[in-house]
Amino acid sequence: MNLEQIREETLRSLGMGKLNSGVYHGVWADTHGRESIESFSPIDGKTTAEITVAGDADYSEIIEKAINSFERWRDIPAPRRGMLIREIGEELRKNKQQLGRLVSLEAGKTVTEGEGEIQEMIDVADLAVGLSRQLYGLEIASERPKHRMIEQYVPLGVTAVITSFNFPASVWSWNAFIAAVCGDVVVWKPSSKAALVAVAVMRVAERVVKRLKYPDPFFLAVGEGSSIGDRISKDNRIPLVSFTGSIPVGKKISENVSKRLGKVILELGGNNAAVVSDKAEMKIAVKGVAFGALATAGQRCTSTRRVIVHEKIYSAFTEKLIDVYRRVKRGNPLEPDTVVGPLIDQNAVKSFKAAIEEAKKEGGKLLFGGTEESIDGFPGGHYVMPAIIEATPEMKITEKETFAPILYVFRYRNLEEAIKIHNSVPQGLSSSIFTQDLAEAEEFTSARGSDCGIVNVNTATAGAEIGGAFGGEKETGGGRESGSDAWKNYMRRQTVTINYGEDIPLSQDVRFPV
Ligand code: UN1
C-alpha cells in the first residue's frame, strides 16, 4: 500500500472521513459553516484530513454542556464510572492498530511507538478501573467526645486537558481517565498539530458512552492555543487546567489560572540527562541512551538531551553510540524497521538546525549528524540526521530544550561533578544513571542526587510506565499525572467533622457561655 492508500484505509477503518468535526459537546457539531484546520503528515507533508475548529459559540456550548453533564456524572458511583472506562479500554484494544497507525501518520511516530501510545492508554484505563474502587480518604481521631472526623475526596467539576502533539492520545488519557473515575468531566483541547488523533480517540470513547447510556464525561474543542487555550485558562468555571507543552506557554497558562486562583497541573519541558559511569554495563548504557535520545526523533518531554560520561570510558562510549546512530534506519515511520521518523514540521527542522549552529558557535564539536535530510519518495517530509555534539556545561544552548534529536555529550571525573552538571539546568523532568555500582546508584537517587521528578537506574530517561506519578520539578512545572496518588489532583479534599452527641463541645477547650 502506498501512503495515500494507507491514509484512506486508516480513516475508513476508524469511521472517519476527509472532513471531521473537531467539536464535541454530547453531539458532534456540524462541519458546515465552520473553519477547519488540516492534519499534515510529517512523513510526506501531505494532508490526511481536515478538522473543524471550535468558534466562540461552540466553546460556550461545550462548557455549558460539560457543567450540565458533570451534575449527572458525579452522581454515578465511582466503580460504575470505572465500568465505562473499562469498556473504553476494551474498545481501544480492538482499535489499537488503526489508532496507532493514525498516530504514526499524524505525529510521525514509528509503528511500534504509535501502537505503544495506544497501549499506554489501555494501561491507564486498567489503572483507572482499579482506582475507581480505591478512592479512599482518611479517618482522623477527634479530640471531642462523640465526634468523628474524616477526610474525603470530592469531584472537582469541569477540568480541562490541553495536550501537545508528541503524545497526542495517551497524555489525554493520563488525565482524562483518572479525572473521569474521580467524578470530573473533561474538556480536551488537543494540539492543532495532532487534532485528528484526538477526534479518532473521542469517537471511540463516544461510541462506548452512547452504547452504555452514560452521561458524557468527555468533550472536545479543537482550536488554537491562542483562542481556546487562552479562554480555558481564564474561565473560572474550570477549576483545574492540566497543560502539557512548552515552558513559555505553561507560564502564561499558569499565570491566567492563578489570577483566578484555579489549579494547574503543568507538564512542561525537560532537559533530561543520563550519567554513564565507568562502572556501567556498556551494552545497557549505549542502548538506553540511544533509545532515550532517538525515540520519537527526540520529541518526547522525556528525551535524553544530555549524556554525562565518565572520562575513562568517554571515547569507547561515544564511539559505540555513534555506531548505533550510523546503523539505525531513518525515514518512513510506517516501515517496520524504521527507528527514527520525521520531525513534526519544518519549524522543528529549523529549530534543530539553529540549535546546532548555536552550539558550534559556543564551541561545541559536532561528532555526528546535524543535517537536514531528504528521504527518497517523501520529498515533503521533515527529516534530519540526529546529532551528537561534544559540549561543556558552560554552553548556554545546553540549558535549552530543543524538541529534536540533539544529544550533548559532557565529560566528568567524579560522581559529585556529574551530579552538579546534571542538576545545572532549569528543567527537572527525567534522569538516569547507568552503573553497576550500588553506592553510585543510591547516591544518584538520594536527596543529594538527581533533582528531577523521575530518576532511573540502568534504564532510559524516556519510556516511563504509567503506574508512577509522572512529572517534574523546577521549570518542568511540578505537576504529577497518571499513576500513584496523582488522582488526588483531580479531586477536592474535604475535612468532615460529625457531632453525634447531645451537646456541642468546642475544640481547643474554648468556652462559649450562651
Ligand atoms: C511526553 O513526552 O510528554 O515516558 C510524555 C515516556 C512516555 C511519556 C512521555 N511514557 O517517554
Side-chain angles (χ1 to χ4, degrees):
M1 269 201 280
N2 65 31
L3 211 49
E4 226 30 72
Q5 289 163 325
I6 293 175
R7 279 192 171 96
E8 264 169 41
E9 165 60 21
T10 307
L11 288 174
R12 201 190 47 75
S13 66
L14 291 164
M16 295 161 75
K18 281 279 172 200
L19 177 63
N20 302 279
S21 177
V23 178
Y24 181 79
H25 44 60
V27 290
W28 290 96
D30 206 333
T31 50
H32 295 294
R34 281 183 171 76
E35 280 179 37
S36 64
I37 53 170
E38 284 171 77
S39 168
F40 296 104
S41 175
I43 303 174
D44 61 356
K46 293 196 182 128
T47 308
T48 303
E50 281 181 52
I51 309 116
T52 57
V53 298
D56 281 351
D58 292 322
Y59 176 81
S60 301
E61 185 153 9
I62 290 167
I63 302 299
E64 274 155 33
K65 292 271 169 61
I67 292 169
N68 204 282
S69 201
F70 170 63
E71 283 164 15
R72 285 172 295 140
W73 180 252
R74 70 176 165 199
D75 284 345
I76 298 173
R80 299 212 161 260
R81 299 195 290 252
M83 281 164 68
L84 175 74
I85 304 302
R86 187 180 68 197
E87 290 304 311
I88 293 176
E90 284 306 306
E91 202 63 22
L92 288 170
R93 280 182 173 89
K94 286 185 208 144
N95 289 277
K96 179 172 161 180
Q97 240 191 340
Q98 298 90 303
L99 285 169
R101 207 180 313 126
L102 193 66
V103 171
S104 296
L105 277 172
E106 193 171 42
K109 291 193 185 192
T110 59
V111 174
T112 174
E113 287 190 64
E115 289 183 10
E117 173 146 7
I118 307 309
Q119 185 57 46
E120 193 162 354
M121 300 182 81
I122 295 165
D123 295 342
V124 179
D126 285 351
L127 178 103
V129 176
L131 183 66
S132 72
R133 290 183 183 270
Q134 297 183 73
L135 299 168
Y136 52 85
L138 288 173
E139 180 158 8
I140 300 147
S142 169
E143 67 191 52
R144 287 168 281 180
K146 298 203 170 170
H147 275 58
R148 201 158 69 82
M149 261 170 76
I150 57 172
E151 185 174 88
Q152 65 178 14
Y153 286 87
V154 183
L156 270 181
V158 179
T159 60
V161 178
I162 304 176
T163 53
S164 66
F165 77 84
N166 64 333
F167 278 80
S170 68
V171 170
W172 171 76
S173 69
W174 290 357
N175 290 277
F177 291 171
I178 306 291
V181 297
C182 288
D184 300 334
V185 300
V186 179
V187 175
W188 184 6
K189 203 235 53 91
S191 162
S192 304
K193 292 176 193 168
L196 199 57
V197 168
V199 171
V201 165
M202 275 296 296
R203 290 177 72 104
V204 167
E206 180 231 347
R207 268 208 307 273
V208 182
V209 171
K210 296 254 159 75
R211 174 160 55 81
L212 299 183
K213 301 192 171 53
Y214 274 81
D216 279 289
F218 303 131
F219 297 79
L220 181 70
V222 172
E224 290 302 326
S226 52
S227 57
I228 301 293
D230 195 59
R231 280 195 74 167
I232 285 173
S233 68
K234 291 175 180 159
D235 194 331
N236 59 15
R237 296 169 296 178
I238 303 176
L240 172 70
V241 179
S242 174
F243 173 78
T244 302
S246 73
I247 292 168
V249 177
K251 282 185 178 165
K252 188 75 212 136
I253 299 248
S254 176
E255 200 181 299
N256 288 345
V257 178
S258 300
K259 263 191 202 146
R260 57 178 178 86
L261 300 179
K263 297 211 266 180
V264 283
I265 298 175
L266 298 175
E267 206 259 277
L268 311 179
N271 189 353
N272 318 294
V275 173
V276 179
S277 156
D278 54 328
K279 291 159 196 118
E281 176 67 51
M282 189 65 96
K283 199 177 80 199
I284 295 178
V286 171
K287 191 164 175 181
V289 171
F291 172 75
L294 295 176
T296 324
Q299 299 169 105
R300 293 193 188 201
C301 300
T302 52
S303 291
T304 308
R305 311 214 173 276
R306 301 175 298 141
V307 57
I308 306 160
V309 188
H310 194 281
E311 60 179 2
K312 268 198 214 154
I313 53 145
Y314 185 89
S315 304
F317 176 81
T318 43
E319 265 167 41
K320 287 204 162 61
L321 190 66
I322 289 170
D323 186 50
V324 173
Y325 269 57
R326 217 172 255 133
R327 280 188 288 114
V328 292
K329 185 170 166 196
R330 290 170 303 101
N332 176 6
L334 290 169
E335 283 170 22
D337 47 349
T338 298
V339 171
V340 183
L343 295 188
I344 189 69
D345 56 20
Q346 209 48 35
N347 269 340
V349 175
K350 253 210 231 143
S351 315
F352 170 82
K353 292 202 289 191
I356 288 163
E357 280 317 304
E358 188 61 33
K360 282 195 208 153
K361 241 193 257 157
E362 286 194 272
K365 187 172 150 208
L366 191 61
L367 299 182
F368 184 83
T371 45
E372 186 172 356
E373 296 285 302
S374 61
I375 300 289
D376 277 352
F378 305 99
H382 313 295
Y383 298 92
V384 299
M385 185 71 90
I388 302 177
I389 299 176
E390 192 167 70
T392 60
E394 289 72 42
M395 289 165 52
K396 285 278 160 223
I397 189 75
T398 67
E399 292 176 12
K400 286 203 193 120
E401 177 193 47
T402 304
F403 230 52
I406 302 175
L407 183 67
Y408 300 111
V409 197
F410 307 102
R411 227 180 262 265
Y412 80 90
R413 281 177 300 265
N414 57 55
L415 189 59
E416 201 185 331
E417 186 193 5
I419 292 172
K420 198 165 158 222
I421 298 171
H422 179 277
N423 291 348
S424 67
V425 296
Q427 311 85 345
L429 180 55
S430 186
S431 55
S432 296
I433 188 166
F434 289 90
T435 183
Q436 297 297 314
D437 183 289
L438 180 66
E440 281 192 338
E442 288 290 334
E443 188 66 14
F444 191 68
T445 56
S446 80
R448 293 174 303 276
S450 159
D451 60 2
C452 291
I454 297 170
V455 53
N456 299 326
V457 178
N458 292 325
T459 191
T461 61
E465 296 180 23
I466 56 97
F470 185 95
E473 301 303 324
K474 302 196 285 184
E475 287 196 358
T476 302
R480 290 296 185 279
E481 296 167 350
S482 189
S484 183
D485 66 351
W487 62 270
K488 290 182 178 170
N489 290 322
Y490 303 86
M491 305 197 82
R492 65 189 158 86
R493 185 196 301 243
Q494 195 167 51
T495 306
V496 186
T497 307
I498 300 161
N499 173 13
Y500 57 96
E502 298 80 50
D503 199 0
I504 176 166
L506 300 176
S507 56
Q508 294 93 41
D509 289 334
V510 170
R511 281 171 293 109
F512 188 66
V514 289

